[in-house]
mmCIF file of all heavy atoms in Angstrom:
data_model
loop_
_atom_site.group_PDB
_atom_site.id
_atom_site.type_symbol
_atom_site.label_atom_id
_atom_site.label_comp_id
_atom_site.label_asym_id
_atom_site.label_seq_id
_atom_site.Cartn_x
_atom_site.Cartn_y
_atom_site.Cartn_z
ATOM 1 N N LYS A 232 2.599 19.141 -13.128
ATOM 2 C CA LYS A 232 3.669 18.141 -13.189
ATOM 3 C C LYS A 232 4.138 18.040 -14.637
ATOM 4 O O LYS A 232 3.336 17.854 -15.551
ATOM 5 C CB LYS A 232 3.137 16.790 -12.706
ATOM 6 C CG LYS A 232 4.211 15.751 -12.599
ATOM 7 C CD LYS A 232 3.807 14.650 -11.653
ATOM 8 C CE LYS A 232 3.081 13.550 -12.425
ATOM 9 N NZ LYS A 232 2.771 12.397 -11.560
ATOM 10 N N ILE A 233 5.440 18.181 -14.852
ATOM 11 C CA ILE A 233 5.981 18.167 -16.206
ATOM 12 C C ILE A 233 6.551 16.786 -16.541
ATOM 13 O O ILE A 233 6.434 16.301 -17.650
ATOM 14 C CB ILE A 233 7.100 19.243 -16.343
ATOM 15 C CG1 ILE A 233 6.530 20.629 -16.053
ATOM 16 C CG2 ILE A 233 7.759 19.192 -17.710
ATOM 17 C CD1 ILE A 233 5.473 21.094 -17.029
ATOM 18 N N GLU A 234 7.175 16.175 -15.520
ATOM 19 C CA GLU A 234 7.781 14.869 -15.783
ATOM 20 C C GLU A 234 7.936 14.109 -14.474
ATOM 21 O O GLU A 234 8.139 14.711 -13.414
ATOM 22 C CB GLU A 234 9.172 15.055 -16.431
ATOM 23 C CG GLU A 234 9.838 13.742 -16.792
ATOM 24 C CD GLU A 234 11.025 13.908 -17.739
ATOM 25 O OE1 GLU A 234 11.276 15.042 -18.181
ATOM 26 O OE2 GLU A 234 11.682 12.894 -18.010
ATOM 27 N N GLU A 235 7.838 12.778 -14.578
ATOM 28 C CA GLU A 235 8.107 11.940 -13.405
ATOM 29 C C GLU A 235 8.962 10.760 -13.863
ATOM 30 O O GLU A 235 8.638 10.113 -14.853
ATOM 31 C CB GLU A 235 6.795 11.439 -12.789
ATOM 32 C CG GLU A 235 7.035 10.572 -11.572
ATOM 33 C CD GLU A 235 5.757 10.231 -10.812
ATOM 34 O OE1 GLU A 235 4.700 10.801 -11.145
ATOM 35 O OE2 GLU A 235 5.847 9.402 -9.907
ATOM 36 N N ALA A 236 10.045 10.542 -13.166
ATOM 37 C CA ALA A 236 10.933 9.457 -13.601
ATOM 38 C C ALA A 236 11.817 9.027 -12.443
ATOM 39 O O ALA A 236 11.922 9.748 -11.446
ATOM 40 C CB ALA A 236 11.815 9.938 -14.739
ATOM 41 N N ASP A 237 12.447 7.842 -12.536
ATOM 42 C CA ASP A 237 13.418 7.518 -11.496
ATOM 43 C C ASP A 237 14.673 8.346 -11.747
ATOM 44 O O ASP A 237 14.902 8.828 -12.853
ATOM 45 C CB ASP A 237 13.714 6.016 -11.458
ATOM 46 C CG ASP A 237 14.406 5.539 -12.691
ATOM 47 O OD1 ASP A 237 15.621 5.738 -12.783
ATOM 48 O OD2 ASP A 237 13.697 5.020 -13.597
ATOM 49 N N VAL A 238 15.449 8.503 -10.693
ATOM 50 C CA VAL A 238 16.478 9.537 -10.717
ATOM 51 C C VAL A 238 17.517 9.332 -11.826
ATOM 52 O O VAL A 238 17.933 10.278 -12.494
ATOM 53 C CB VAL A 238 17.119 9.691 -9.319
ATOM 54 C CG1 VAL A 238 17.971 8.488 -8.966
ATOM 55 C CG2 VAL A 238 17.913 10.963 -9.203
ATOM 56 N N LEU A 239 17.874 8.073 -12.066
ATOM 57 C CA LEU A 239 18.896 7.814 -13.084
ATOM 58 C C LEU A 239 18.402 8.193 -14.474
ATOM 59 O O LEU A 239 19.080 8.895 -15.228
ATOM 60 C CB LEU A 239 19.305 6.339 -13.051
ATOM 61 C CG LEU A 239 20.341 5.986 -11.985
ATOM 62 C CD1 LEU A 239 20.644 4.494 -12.024
ATOM 63 C CD2 LEU A 239 21.618 6.797 -12.186
ATOM 64 N N SER A 240 17.176 7.738 -14.804
ATOM 65 C CA SER A 240 16.663 8.055 -16.141
ATOM 66 C C SER A 240 16.487 9.553 -16.317
ATOM 67 O O SER A 240 16.675 10.077 -17.405
ATOM 68 C CB SER A 240 15.336 7.364 -16.435
ATOM 69 O OG SER A 240 14.976 6.476 -15.468
ATOM 70 N N LEU A 241 16.103 10.216 -15.233
ATOM 71 C CA LEU A 241 15.877 11.653 -15.377
ATOM 72 C C LEU A 241 17.162 12.370 -15.756
ATOM 73 O O LEU A 241 17.171 13.222 -16.638
ATOM 74 C CB LEU A 241 15.307 12.248 -14.095
ATOM 75 C CG LEU A 241 14.876 13.691 -14.263
ATOM 76 C CD1 LEU A 241 13.395 13.799 -14.551
ATOM 77 C CD2 LEU A 241 15.246 14.546 -13.076
ATOM 78 N N PHE A 242 18.249 12.004 -15.080
ATOM 79 C CA PHE A 242 19.507 12.703 -15.361
ATOM 80 C C PHE A 242 20.123 12.238 -16.685
ATOM 81 O O PHE A 242 20.700 13.025 -17.422
ATOM 82 C CB PHE A 242 20.501 12.503 -14.215
ATOM 83 C CG PHE A 242 20.271 13.467 -13.085
ATOM 84 C CD1 PHE A 242 19.426 13.148 -12.037
ATOM 85 C CD2 PHE A 242 20.877 14.724 -13.100
ATOM 86 C CE1 PHE A 242 19.199 14.033 -11.007
ATOM 87 C CE2 PHE A 242 20.650 15.613 -12.068
ATOM 88 C CZ PHE A 242 19.812 15.268 -11.015
ATOM 89 N N GLU A 243 19.980 10.933 -16.972
ATOM 90 C CA GLU A 243 20.625 10.420 -18.180
ATOM 91 C C GLU A 243 19.797 10.672 -19.428
ATOM 92 O O GLU A 243 20.322 10.945 -20.500
ATOM 93 C CB GLU A 243 20.884 8.918 -18.028
ATOM 94 C CG GLU A 243 22.104 8.663 -17.172
ATOM 95 C CD GLU A 243 22.280 7.184 -16.866
ATOM 96 O OE1 GLU A 243 21.520 6.362 -17.421
ATOM 97 O OE2 GLU A 243 23.168 6.866 -16.056
ATOM 98 N N ASN A 244 18.478 10.562 -19.256
ATOM 99 C CA ASN A 244 17.646 10.646 -20.448
ATOM 100 C C ASN A 244 16.359 11.423 -20.165
ATOM 101 O O ASN A 244 15.273 10.844 -20.147
ATOM 102 C CB ASN A 244 17.341 9.199 -20.907
ATOM 103 C CG ASN A 244 16.599 9.175 -22.199
ATOM 104 O OD1 ASN A 244 16.623 10.160 -22.950
ATOM 105 N ND2 ASN A 244 15.898 8.080 -22.462
ATOM 106 N N PRO A 245 16.473 12.721 -19.926
ATOM 107 C CA PRO A 245 15.257 13.489 -19.619
ATOM 108 C C PRO A 245 14.332 13.526 -20.842
ATOM 109 O O PRO A 245 14.799 13.693 -21.965
ATOM 110 C CB PRO A 245 15.802 14.880 -19.295
ATOM 111 C CG PRO A 245 17.139 14.954 -19.923
ATOM 112 C CD PRO A 245 17.676 13.565 -19.978
ATOM 113 N N LYS A 246 13.035 13.322 -20.569
ATOM 114 C CA LYS A 246 12.084 13.213 -21.688
ATOM 115 C C LYS A 246 11.510 14.570 -22.075
ATOM 116 O O LYS A 246 11.361 14.890 -23.242
ATOM 117 C CB LYS A 246 10.928 12.275 -21.293
ATOM 118 C CG LYS A 246 11.337 10.835 -21.037
ATOM 119 C CD LYS A 246 11.283 10.042 -22.325
ATOM 120 C CE LYS A 246 11.435 8.552 -22.153
ATOM 121 N NZ LYS A 246 12.393 8.065 -21.185
ATOM 122 N N SER A 247 11.141 15.379 -21.070
ATOM 123 C CA SER A 247 10.438 16.616 -21.408
ATOM 124 C C SER A 247 11.427 17.717 -21.767
ATOM 125 O O SER A 247 12.577 17.720 -21.297
ATOM 126 C CB SER A 247 9.578 17.066 -20.227
ATOM 127 O OG SER A 247 10.395 17.641 -19.247
ATOM 128 N N VAL A 248 10.956 18.655 -22.585
ATOM 129 C CA VAL A 248 11.840 19.750 -22.995
ATOM 130 C C VAL A 248 12.240 20.599 -21.794
ATOM 131 O O VAL A 248 13.361 21.114 -21.716
ATOM 132 C CB VAL A 248 11.160 20.656 -24.061
ATOM 133 C CG1 VAL A 248 11.134 19.963 -25.408
ATOM 134 C CG2 VAL A 248 9.772 21.074 -23.630
ATOM 135 N N TYR A 249 11.310 20.723 -20.839
ATOM 136 C CA TYR A 249 11.595 21.559 -19.673
ATOM 137 C C TYR A 249 12.716 20.956 -18.830
ATOM 138 O O TYR A 249 13.641 21.644 -18.402
ATOM 139 C CB TYR A 249 10.333 21.735 -18.822
ATOM 140 C CG TYR A 249 10.559 22.547 -17.567
ATOM 141 C CD1 TYR A 249 10.785 23.919 -17.639
ATOM 142 C CD2 TYR A 249 10.579 21.944 -16.310
ATOM 143 C CE1 TYR A 249 11.012 24.669 -16.509
ATOM 144 C CE2 TYR A 249 10.804 22.680 -15.161
ATOM 145 C CZ TYR A 249 11.014 24.043 -15.260
ATOM 146 O OH TYR A 249 11.256 24.779 -14.136
ATOM 147 N N THR A 250 12.630 19.631 -18.578
ATOM 148 C CA THR A 250 13.669 18.985 -17.767
ATOM 149 C C THR A 250 15.030 19.098 -18.451
ATOM 150 O O THR A 250 16.043 19.353 -17.789
ATOM 151 C CB THR A 250 13.332 17.498 -17.527
ATOM 152 O OG1 THR A 250 11.974 17.413 -17.153
ATOM 153 C CG2 THR A 250 14.181 16.906 -16.447
ATOM 154 N N LYS A 251 15.008 18.923 -19.775
ATOM 155 C CA LYS A 251 16.264 19.075 -20.512
ATOM 156 C C LYS A 251 16.828 20.476 -20.296
ATOM 157 O O LYS A 251 18.020 20.655 -20.000
ATOM 158 C CB LYS A 251 16.034 18.846 -22.009
ATOM 159 C CG LYS A 251 15.882 17.391 -22.379
ATOM 160 C CD LYS A 251 15.564 17.247 -23.870
ATOM 161 C CE LYS A 251 15.075 15.836 -24.144
ATOM 162 N NZ LYS A 251 14.292 15.751 -25.381
ATOM 163 N N ALA A 252 15.943 21.469 -20.430
ATOM 164 C CA ALA A 252 16.389 22.858 -20.257
ATOM 165 C C ALA A 252 16.871 23.097 -18.830
ATOM 166 O O ALA A 252 17.865 23.779 -18.582
ATOM 167 C CB ALA A 252 15.247 23.803 -20.596
ATOM 168 N N LEU A 253 16.146 22.484 -17.862
ATOM 169 C CA LEU A 253 16.499 22.648 -16.440
ATOM 170 C C LEU A 253 17.903 22.089 -16.180
ATOM 171 O O LEU A 253 18.731 22.711 -15.505
ATOM 172 C CB LEU A 253 15.468 21.910 -15.585
ATOM 173 C CG LEU A 253 15.368 22.250 -14.114
ATOM 174 C CD1 LEU A 253 14.952 23.708 -13.929
ATOM 175 C CD2 LEU A 253 14.352 21.352 -13.422
ATOM 176 N N LEU A 254 18.170 20.913 -16.739
ATOM 177 C CA LEU A 254 19.479 20.291 -16.521
ATOM 178 C C LEU A 254 20.583 21.074 -17.226
ATOM 179 O O LEU A 254 21.690 21.215 -16.699
ATOM 180 C CB LEU A 254 19.464 18.838 -17.002
ATOM 181 C CG LEU A 254 18.640 17.893 -16.121
ATOM 182 C CD1 LEU A 254 18.479 16.535 -16.802
ATOM 183 C CD2 LEU A 254 19.288 17.720 -14.752
ATOM 184 N N SER A 255 20.259 21.619 -18.408
ATOM 185 C CA SER A 255 21.294 22.374 -19.116
ATOM 186 C C SER A 255 21.532 23.723 -18.447
ATOM 187 O O SER A 255 22.534 24.379 -18.708
ATOM 188 C CB SER A 255 20.921 22.563 -20.581
ATOM 189 O OG SER A 255 19.815 23.429 -20.668
ATOM 190 N N ALA A 256 20.606 24.124 -17.562
ATOM 191 C CA ALA A 256 20.777 25.402 -16.867
ATOM 192 C C ALA A 256 21.609 25.280 -15.599
ATOM 193 O O ALA A 256 21.819 26.261 -14.891
ATOM 194 C CB ALA A 256 19.410 25.990 -16.533
ATOM 195 N N LEU A 257 22.061 24.055 -15.287
ATOM 196 C CA LEU A 257 22.896 23.905 -14.084
ATOM 197 C C LEU A 257 24.192 24.705 -14.266
ATOM 198 O O LEU A 257 24.768 24.706 -15.362
ATOM 199 C CB LEU A 257 23.246 22.427 -13.863
ATOM 200 C CG LEU A 257 22.102 21.525 -13.414
ATOM 201 C CD1 LEU A 257 22.565 20.078 -13.360
ATOM 202 C CD2 LEU A 257 21.590 21.955 -12.053
ATOM 203 N N PRO A 258 24.659 25.371 -13.227
ATOM 204 C CA PRO A 258 25.851 26.206 -13.347
ATOM 205 C C PRO A 258 27.045 25.454 -13.931
ATOM 206 O O PRO A 258 27.806 26.004 -14.723
ATOM 207 C CB PRO A 258 26.129 26.639 -11.915
ATOM 208 C CG PRO A 258 24.825 26.532 -11.218
ATOM 209 C CD PRO A 258 24.078 25.433 -11.883
#
Side-chain angles (χ1 to χ4, degrees):
Chain A
K232 186 158 90 175
I233 300 296
E234 183 165 356
E235 180 171 352
D237 66 80
V238 70
L239 278 179
S240 353
L241 188 96
F242 277 90
E243 281 173 6
N244 185 20
K246 296 271 190 320
S247 76
V248 285
Y249 178 71
T250 314
K251 284 176 194 158
L253 198 63
L254 289 170
S255 68
L257 289 175

